[in-house]
Amino acid sequence: MTAAAGRARRADAERNARLLVAAARGLFDERGPGAPLDEIAKRAGVGNATLYRHYPTRDDLLAAVYADEVAALCDRGAALPAEAGAGEALHAWLEAFAVQVATGRAPAFAGAGDDDARRTELFARWHAALTSTAETLLARAQRAGDVRGDITVAEVLTLAHAIATSCTDPGQVRRLLTIVRHGLT
């Protein structure tokens, strides 16, 4: 194979991946994260084999679809300490996280559970980035005395995720997180 043929093949693969992500985002927005994978491939104009070659599992595809939003959420977590006190930064980030999950914008993040067997590489990286952001904010809040020292990041993320998956109304998510906030301090 020539170098030009290899570049063309890579460009074609990148184009297919972009088409699959765009098609999946559209169908997930329309029908939720359980939209049929066959329909995603069809909408992208590629075969099922191409879909599975790029995204072997639904979690891989979900992670790719929402990767930009997860990155933005992690970036927000990094910026918050400069904008707010330690406790306020943690709670503002948890609110952003929970609202994102509750409104269906990050359905692949499954909270702080330890079911590594079902996590794929993309999903695991996503989970690790969100957990790291939460750990940093929690540790800062604990050092400042704004959050109890015996609270773990797994507990905080489990609570936020449980709230997020129990309702889709951002106002209700915020209210429930406010109640949890009192239990963390």
Side-chain angles (χ1 to χ4, degrees):
M1 176 179 3
T2 67
R7 282 191 301 276
R9 189 168 285 160
R10 282 190 300 272
D12 186 51
E14 289 175 20
R15 179 186 60 82
N16 286 343
R18 284 192 306 274
L19 289 170
L20 285 162
V21 167
R25 182 176 285 118
L27 275 170
F28 292 161
D29 286 349
E30 292 169 22
R31 299 175 55 186
L37 296 178
D38 291 347
E39 282 188 44
I40 292 167
K42 184 176 179 180
R43 186 177 280 191
V46 302
N48 286 351
T50 299
L51 170 83
Y52 290 109
R53 189 169 36 258
H54 286 281
Y55 306 105
T57 69
R58 181 177 298 275
D59 280 346
D60 282 327
L61 184 57
L62 285 163
V65 167
Y66 297 108
D68 290 343
E69 293 175 31
V70 171
L73 188 58
C74 290
D75 289 347
R76 180 77 181 125
L80 277 166
E83 301 170 14
E88 190 56 43
L90 171 65
H91 294 290
W93 187 84
L94 287 172
E95 180 180 304
F97 165 78
V99 167
Q100 191 172 29
V101 172
T103 57
R105 300 307 310 165
F109 180 65
D114 292 324
D115 188 5
D116 290 332
R118 73 173 191 80
R119 288 205 177 110
T120 62
E121 183 182 336
L122 284 172
F123 187 82
R125 282 196 312 252
W126 187 11
H127 182 269
L130 289 168
T131 300
S132 176
T133 299
E135 282 174 334
T136 300
L137 291 167
L138 176 62
R140 184 173 175 262
Q142 287 173 323
R143 282 191 307 273
D146 294 339
V147 173
R148 293 176 16 199
D150 64 334
I151 304 292
T152 68
V153 72
E155 291 167 335
V156 170
L157 288 175
T158 298
L159 287 167
H161 189 264
I163 289 168
T165 57
S166 69
C167 53
T168 58
D169 175 32
Q172 183 67 12
V173 167
R174 288 180 184 97
R175 176 168 165 60
L176 292 171
L177 283 171
T178 299
I179 293 168
V180 167
R181 181 178 186 165
H182 294 291
L184 295 176
T185 56

